[in-house]
Amino acid sequence: MSTISRDEVARVAALARIDLRPEELDRLSGELDVIVDAIAKVSEVATPDIPATSHPLPLTNVFRDDVPEPALPVQDVLAAAPSDEDGRFAVPQILGEE
């Protein structure tokens, strides 16, 4: 398997303008090696006769259909409001503007 060297990690970090400490370079080179090895193992198993999947179990939409319905009457909505004015909610001023 390929090994990602500390120098390669430093080069990519420099290209991405990421400043890494020496101990981070060592740690990341090891972690990236593990990731590359895992991808290589998946690539060995992934053959054209195996269909690609995004999830191991089939998923279904659990939401109801979006069916348009008539809106509530304005009077009913404003009846629950602490304060209303001209058919709208009245709220305290927050920006200090008039």
Side-chain angles (χ1 to χ4, degrees):
M1 293 290 175
S2 71
T3 323
I4 296 179
S5 71
R6 184 179 192 275
D7 293 334
E8 289 172 317
V9 174
R11 181 177 167 272
V12 172
L15 290 172
R17 298 176 189 239
I18 299 172
D19 189 24
L20 296 175
R21 296 185 307 269
E23 61 271 9
E24 291 175 315
L25 291 172
D26 294 332
R27 181 178 51 83
L28 286 172
S29 65
E31 289 177 2
L32 290 172
D33 262 345
V34 171
I35 293 170
V36 169
D37 289 343
I39 292 171
K41 287 179 186 175
V42 170
S43 296
E44 290 172 7
V45 176
T47 59
D49 58 325
I50 298 175
T53 57
S54 62
H55 197 274
L57 302 174
L59 298 176
T60 57
N61 189 351
V62 296
F63 299 111
R64 65 174 170 78
D65 290 335
D66 190 13
V67 179
E69 295 181 5
L72 293 173
V74 174
Q75 297 81 10
D76 292 349
V77 173
L78 292 177
S83 180
D84 67 282
E85 186 178 306
D86 297 328
R88 294 176 284 189
F89 294 107
V91 296
Q93 185 175 350
I94 61 169
L95 298 177
E97 299 174 354
E98 293 194 31

